[in-house]
């Protein structure tokens, strides 16, 4: 009897500890509506989340469980994607057309995901149509657990800056332009947290603050700087970096960077500046204010000078962004414990973007295929073996020969789970590109001018290349990444430049093996939406 009582006590204690040890849950209810906003001082229609533009921020801690009930009050279907969140084992929650059926008007759907083993600066935004242009975006910050050391002293506070281009036309007008086979006009402004020249961040002299900066725009690379202050880079999209110091820093579409800024100046106001890159002269500039507590002196003097069209300047800066090999990330093991440069490459893919005219309308293509999303979500078609939705022969691993016209198709690559893959993005156009991968972070190992060739591998950084989820590809240049595709699911690899993505510059990576195990992939969610050829099916 004593033994039984003792055993019962041990089991009760273990059960209690299990409950205590369970990772935190955060619950949100978001109502998505149209409303009038005034980012440029005049009224225009925007998309609001709980009445806010930008949407409410999510402040999470590593391993938090996030539950977001999205109530769609728009008159068209809607989805949100969680940019940079890996969705370990559950691409069902990724929130793009290939993995989720959109939420119909006047209904709701609940996302449930964990920010498993992640830290850093991320964002969320609408992935449907061109809703992002209406303001349907927000911050998603993931803080380190207290038991894991950071490679810098705890700052006195932190500020989140969502910087992006903006159009006077609302998202429906912009969509009609694209649907008519035309390109978008040049943006009308840059905004910081939904405002132009209006946001104020206040700190105390002598203290150091964390600045989380994301480019949430549709098309425009920006340069970020603070008058009279230097930027110490500490993190790029979930990876701690070597702490290089910059006077200004390029952040391309879809990218995020985190800096430490020490308030070493005299008590005053200082300009925070974002301006367009690769334009001559600088076409658009916006400012915010860094205010020292007690300041009664407005920011003055010329704005700090930013770079314009100098691509080599940007490439050289990009090469200085290196992984801090000795720092912990979200887990206690050093970031450099994964020796990516010694792993054999099992699959080599080259993706070449192009601009085309198909059926008399503007389209963008990858390896000669301009992607179209079928009515049936690709993930559903894969899970239920529904024929006629996609195949693995539409797109090839390498670009087509010159002169072969691009065509419409649904682009899906078949990747074996755990394959270590080299992807080279080849850009033969005169504009900068930006590529984003869902489901995984990748190592950026090389940038170069002209056409990529086999001997370029000798230039790769195989030791401390930064891991991130969005990379730029400079005009008439290439960028190479290495990635371990160890997250089973259907994953979107897309242009972060929205016009290009909307008109076909994206593909999907179907990462798969034939093992049915909850250790590699969860079952279809109980609340999954069904559409297209899967509409009549049931969960299994």
């Amino acid at each position: 009897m004593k033994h039984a009582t003792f055993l019962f006590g041990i089991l009760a204690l273990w059960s209690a500890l299990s409950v205590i040890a369970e990772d935190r849950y955060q619950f949100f209810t978001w109502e998505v509506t149209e409303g009038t906003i005034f980012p440029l001082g005049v009224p225009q229609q925007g998309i609001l989340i709980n009445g806010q533009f930008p949407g409410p921020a999510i402040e999470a801690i590593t391993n938090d469980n996030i539950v977001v009930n999205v109530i769609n009050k728009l008159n068209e279907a809607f989805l949100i994607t969680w940019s940079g969140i890996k969705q370990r084992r559950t691409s069902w929650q990724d929130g793009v057309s290939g993995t989720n059926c959109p939420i119909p008007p006047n209904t709701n759907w609940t996302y449930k995901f964990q920010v498993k083993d992640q830290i850093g600066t991320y964002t969320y935004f609408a992935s449907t149509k061109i809703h992002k242009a209406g303001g349907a975006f927000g911050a998603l910050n993931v803080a380190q657990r207290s038991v894991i050391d950071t490679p810098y002293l705890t700052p006195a506070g932190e500020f989140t800056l969502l910087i992006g281009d903006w159009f006077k036309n609302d998202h429906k007008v912009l969509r009609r332009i694209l649907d008519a086979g035309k390109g978008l006009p040049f943006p009308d402004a840059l905004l910081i947290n939904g405002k132009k020249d209006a946001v104020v961040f206040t700190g105390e002299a002598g203290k150091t603050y964390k600045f989380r900066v994301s480019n949430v725009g549709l098309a425009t690379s920006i340069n970020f700087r603070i008058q009279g202050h230097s930027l110490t880079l500490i993190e790029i999209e979930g990876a701690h970096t070597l702490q290089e110091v910059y006077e200004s820093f390029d952040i391309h579409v879809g990218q995020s960077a985190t800096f430490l800024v020490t308030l070493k100046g005299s008590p005053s106001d200082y300009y925070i500046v974002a301006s367009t890159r690769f334009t001559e002269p600088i076409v658009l500039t916006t400012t915010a204010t860094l205010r020292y507590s007690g300041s009664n002196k407005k920011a003055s003097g010329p704005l700090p000078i930013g770079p314009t069209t100098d691509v080599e300047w940007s490439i050289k800066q990009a090469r200085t962004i290196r992984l801090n090999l000795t720092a912990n990330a979200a887990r206690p093991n050093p970031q450099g414990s994964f020796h990516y440069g010694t792993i054999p490459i099992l699959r080599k893919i080259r993706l070449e973007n192009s601009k085309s005219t198909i059926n008399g309308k503007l389209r963008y293509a990858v390896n000669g295929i301009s992607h179209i999303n079928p009515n049936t979500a690709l993930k559903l078609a894969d899970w239920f073996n529904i024929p006629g939705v996609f195949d693995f022969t539409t797109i090839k691993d390498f670009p087509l020969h010159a002169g072969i016209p691009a065509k419409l198709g649904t682009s899906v690559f078949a990747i074996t789970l755990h394959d270590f893959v080299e992807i080279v993005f080849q850009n033969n156009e005169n504009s900068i590109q930006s590529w984003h991968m869902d489901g995984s972070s990748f190592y950026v190992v090389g940038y170069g001018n002209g056409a990529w060739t086999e001997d370029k591998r000798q230039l790769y950084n195989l030791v401390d290349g930064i891991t991130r989820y969005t990379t730029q590809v400079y005009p008439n240049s290439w960028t190479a990444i290495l990635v371990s595709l160890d997250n089973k699911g259907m994953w979107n690899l897309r242009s972060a430049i929205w016009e290009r993505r909307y008109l076909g510059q994206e593909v999907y990576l179907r990462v798969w093996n034939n093992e049915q195990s909850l250790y590699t992939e969860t079952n279809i969610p109980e609340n999954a939406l069904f559409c297209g050829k899967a509409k009549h099916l049931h969960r299994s």
Side-chain angles (χ1 to χ4, degrees):
M1 183 68 179
K2 288 182 180 180
H3 291 295
T5 303
F6 177 76
L7 180 60
F8 178 80
I10 291 293
L11 290 173
L13 177 62
W14 179 86
S15 177
L17 289 174
S18 297
V19 171
I20 293 171
E22 185 177 15
D23 295 310
R24 183 176 70 163
Y25 277 78
Q26 290 202 63
F27 296 89
F28 304 90
T29 298
W30 287 357
E31 187 173 273
V32 181
T33 60
E34 282 200 313
T36 303
I37 56 177
F38 299 83
L40 301 182
V42 294
Q44 64 181 110
Q45 284 299 105
I47 296 178
L48 307 177
I49 300 176
N50 287 357
Q52 298 179 42
F53 162 66
I58 293 178
E59 300 290 345
I61 298 173
T62 299
N63 292 347
D64 274 2
N65 295 282
I66 307 297
V67 182
V68 186
N69 179 23
V70 176
I71 304 169
N72 179 17
K73 290 296 185 69
L74 303 179
N75 59 7
E76 51 194 8
F78 182 82
L79 279 174
I80 291 176
T81 190
W82 316 93
S83 184
I85 302 304
K86 294 181 180 179
Q87 306 291 359
R88 300 295 303 179
R89 302 184 300 117
T90 177
S91 62
W92 300 107
Q93 307 295 329
D94 199 31
V96 292
S97 295
T99 57
N100 294 88
C101 298
I103 306 167
N106 297 310
T107 65
N108 74 299
W109 193 73
T110 301
Y111 292 87
K112 300 176 183 178
F113 61 90
Q114 186 179 28
V115 289
K116 177 66 175 172
D117 294 335
Q118 289 191 259
I119 58 160
T121 299
Y122 307 99
T123 60
Y124 66 84
F125 52 80
S127 65
T128 38
K129 302 186 184 296
I130 195 166
H131 291 141
K132 186 182 180 186
F137 56 79
L140 202 173
N141 300 324
V142 184
Q144 199 120 339
R145 290 178 294 159
S146 59
V147 295
I148 304 296
D149 293 331
T150 58
Y152 51 85
L153 296 177
T154 301
E158 63 179 57
F159 307 119
T160 297
L161 289 80
L162 303 176
I163 305 177
D165 49 25
W166 192 258
F167 296 81
K168 291 179 180 177
N169 289 323
D170 68 36
H171 65 98
K172 292 182 179 178
V173 173
L174 297 178
R175 189 167 82 231
R176 286 198 293 270
I177 292 172
L178 294 177
D179 289 342
K182 301 176 183 178
L184 294 181
F186 195 81
D188 296 297
L190 296 180
L191 304 179
I192 297 177
N193 292 354
K195 299 178 181 179
K196 181 171 170 56
D197 306 327
V199 184
V200 178
F201 302 94
T202 302
E204 295 184 27
K207 293 187 176 181
T208 298
Y209 293 84
K210 179 187 289 186
F211 281 70
R212 299 181 181 271
V213 185
S214 298
N215 186 334
V216 294
L218 297 188
T220 307
S221 294
I222 63 167
N223 180 266
F224 176 77
R225 51 202 184 274
I226 302 178
Q227 183 184 34
H229 294 74
S230 57
L231 310 169
T232 300
L233 183 68
I234 57 170
E235 179 244 325
I236 289 282
E237 298 167 13
H240 287 126
T241 66
L242 294 181
Q243 294 180 19
E244 301 287 349
V245 178
Y246 303 89
E247 295 305 310
S248 71
F249 195 84
D250 283 352
I251 304 177
H252 306 282
V253 180
Q255 294 184 345
S256 297
T258 307
F259 309 95
L260 293 181
V261 178
T262 301
L263 277 56
K264 294 182 178 179
S266 58
S268 181
D269 289 0
Y270 296 86
Y271 287 117
I272 298 172
V273 183
S275 60
T276 52
R277 274 300 263 123
F278 313 116
T279 59
E280 180 67 64
I282 293 174
V283 178
L284 300 176
T285 299
T286 190
T287 64
T289 299
L290 173 57
R291 175 166 295 161
Y292 283 43
S293 295
S295 167
N296 55 14
K297 183 179 179 182
K298 297 294 185 183
S300 62
L303 299 181
I305 297 172
T308 55
T309 59
D310 191 345
V311 173
E312 286 301 319
W313 185 96
S314 189
I315 292 177
K316 288 178 180 178
Q317 182 181 83
R319 288 175 176 154
T320 67
I321 304 171
R322 313 293 274 269
L323 189 66
N324 185 336
L325 298 180
T326 61
N328 297 318
R331 300 170 70 181
N333 52 300
Q335 293 181 148
S337 60
F338 185 76
H339 301 288
Y340 71 92
T342 65
I343 301 173
I345 297 171
L346 298 178
R347 181 82 173 268
K348 300 171 184 178
I349 297 173
R350 278 192 291 128
L351 300 179
E352 182 177 283
N353 55 271
S354 61
K355 183 177 181 179
S356 306
T357 299
I358 301 177
N359 299 329
K361 292 187 177 182
L362 172 66
R363 296 289 301 185
Y364 296 96
V366 183
N367 289 2
I369 303 298
S370 184
H371 180 83
I372 51 174
N373 283 303
N375 292 330
T376 309
L378 301 174
K379 182 62 185 171
L380 287 177
D382 192 35
W383 187 264
F384 290 106
N385 296 312
I386 301 172
V389 177
F390 72 92
D391 60 54
F392 300 123
T393 64
T394 299
I395 189 167
K396 307 302 180 186
D397 286 9
F398 302 100
L400 303 179
H401 296 295
I404 299 178
K407 62 182 181 179
L408 301 176
T410 300
S411 299
V412 182
F413 287 98
I415 307 287
T416 301
L417 182 65
H418 301 303
D419 269 6
F420 194 68
V421 180
E422 173 194 70
I423 300 177
V424 177
F425 300 104
Q426 180 67 53
N427 177 20
N428 297 329
E429 299 182 58
N430 294 324
S431 60
I432 191 167
Q433 305 293 313
S434 188
W435 281 92
H436 174 91
M437 179 183 288
D438 286 353
S440 299
S441 291
F442 48 74
Y443 291 87
V444 182
V445 294
Y447 307 95
N449 296 319
W452 182 89
T453 53
E454 297 277 343
D455 61 346
K456 302 299 185 185
R457 292 196 182 97
Q458 300 174 24
L459 305 176
Y460 285 3
N461 175 0
L462 298 180
V463 178
D464 60 356
I466 193 67
T467 55
R468 62 188 316 162
Y469 51 81
T470 309
T471 187
Q472 70 275 22
V473 190
Y474 293 99
N476 299 298
S477 299
W478 56 270
T479 295
I481 66 171
L482 297 177
V483 56
S484 178
L485 291 170
D486 59 357
N487 194 9
K488 192 171 180 179
M490 184 73 70
W491 303 110
N492 193 214
L493 176 58
R494 62 178 177 269
S495 175
I497 299 172
W498 214 252
E499 171 183 308
R500 304 185 74 97
R501 187 255 184 179
Y502 184 84
L503 295 178
Q505 192 172 312
E506 64 176 328
V507 303
Y508 279 85
L509 308 176
R510 186 256 206 168
V511 181
W512 187 82
N513 68 358
N514 60 5
E515 175 190 3
Q516 291 187 340
S517 170
L518 295 178
Y519 289 103
T520 57
E521 186 174 30
T522 63
N523 287 324
I524 184 170
E526 288 294 323
N527 67 335
L529 298 175
F530 290 82
C531 54
K533 293 184 177 182
K535 198 164 187 177
H536 66 287
L537 298 175
H538 300 283
R539 300 161 189 83
S540 61

